[in-house]
Amino acid sequence: KQETRKMSLRRATQSGLSVVRRMEAAQRGLVTSALRLDEEKDQSAEQKEEFLKKFEPIGGTLAPPEFPSNFVKSSGEASQEGTPDKLKFNFFMPHDTVYRGEQVDLVLMPAVTGDFGVMPGHVPTVAELRPGLVTIHKEMDKTVEKYFVSGGFAFVHDDSTADVCAVEAVPLEDLDPEAIKAGLADYTSKLASVQAKGDDYEIAAAQVGVEVYSAMNAAVGN
């Protein structure tokens, strides 16, 4: 029994030493990574300084160039700021601005990969929009506005700002259900007609019409 206890104690000691060694190796790895990151930052700063020195004699009246790193916040700054209570929302069309710097709680968007919602603190995202509803919750489930968009792009930034750039956007209440049904029937008939002719351009145009009117029909039905 005494021999068995000695063997168990020896195994426990070896296991404990193994854990300690692994922890020490991990700590060394973290320190090494931190040192390497600091070295890369120093090297980048030196390269920028060297470039600016070469630029100065030939730049004339031009302002010194900016570098991408000048616009990137450090992780420390980002963590200190925290997540804001509201999302800053911009909504643009080529001929109009629907919102600029609007403070909202939530925006729901119809991306080609599926609908998604954006709230403060959302990860940076770029998404192509399909025909559908953009729903803006200025105050969650209380003050809500809906716009039908024919397509476009959405950009979500790491500072809790989101942009929607749409080709066309119409308030949901401005859509005429009867006109939509008539337009859907017209494009559906047109698609069947041009498919028989084999004209690729006309087929594509008819398919777009069917897609947009189908989306509008679904929107007014909600």
Side-chain angles (χ1 to χ4, degrees):
K1 289 182 179 179
Q2 196 170 14
E3 186 65 28
T4 302
R5 287 176 183 171
K6 287 182 180 179
M7 291 178 65
S8 298
L9 182 59
R10 190 179 299 114
R11 290 196 193 97
T13 302
Q14 290 174 346
S15 177
L17 288 172
S18 176
V19 171
V20 170
R21 291 192 186 102
R22 286 199 296 270
M23 290 177 66
E24 289 176 347
Q27 289 175 347
R28 285 196 299 271
L30 289 173
V31 171
T32 302
S33 297
L35 289 173
R36 187 181 301 115
L37 183 60
D38 289 340
E39 289 174 357
E40 289 176 355
K41 287 182 178 178
D42 292 340
Q43 185 179 7
S44 176
E46 290 175 1
Q47 289 174 344
K48 286 194 289 186
E49 187 176 351
E50 183 181 353
F51 176 84
L52 290 173
K53 285 180 180 178
K54 293 180 179 179
F55 176 83
E56 188 175 355
I58 61 174
T61 58
L62 293 176
E66 295 285 357
F67 298 89
S69 58
N70 294 351
F71 303 94
V72 179
K73 295 180 181 179
S74 66
S75 57
E77 292 174 338
S79 61
Q80 288 176 4
E81 291 181 3
T83 303
D85 295 330
K86 291 280 190 175
L87 177 74
K88 187 177 180 181
F89 181 56
N90 302 307
F91 193 173
F92 303 115
M93 289 184 288
H95 57 278
D96 194 13
T97 297
V98 183
Y99 290 115
R100 184 188 293 273
E102 188 76 16
Q103 300 292 319
V104 303
D105 285 335
L106 168 69
V107 180
L108 300 173
M109 306 183 190
V112 294
T113 54
D115 294 355
F116 72 103
V118 180
M119 299 178 72
H122 195 285
V123 296
T125 304
V126 177
E128 182 181 357
L129 301 180
R130 72 177 194 280
L133 283 179
V134 171
T135 304
I136 302 108
H137 291 252
K138 292 185 176 181
E139 191 175 353
M140 188 66 73
D141 295 331
K142 292 181 180 179
T143 308
V144 182
E145 294 185 1
K146 297 182 179 182
Y147 288 83
F148 181 85
V149 298
S150 59
F153 286 89
F155 305 90
V156 184
H157 310 282
D158 62 357
D159 60 352
S160 293
T161 300
D163 306 321
V164 167
C165 301
V167 179
E168 290 287 347
V170 180
L172 179 61
E173 59 270 19
D174 290 351
L175 295 179
D176 182 349
E178 294 304 319
I180 291 170
K181 290 179 181 178
L184 179 58
D186 180 50
Y187 271 101
T188 301
S189 173
K190 186 179 294 184
L191 178 60
S193 174
V194 296
Q195 280 178 333
K197 298 178 181 178
D199 188 327
D200 291 340
Y201 175 81
E202 293 295 336
I203 291 174
Q207 286 174 335
V208 169
V210 170
E211 180 184 4
V212 172
Y213 273 100
S214 296
M216 283 195 288
N217 193 45
V220 296
N222 291 336

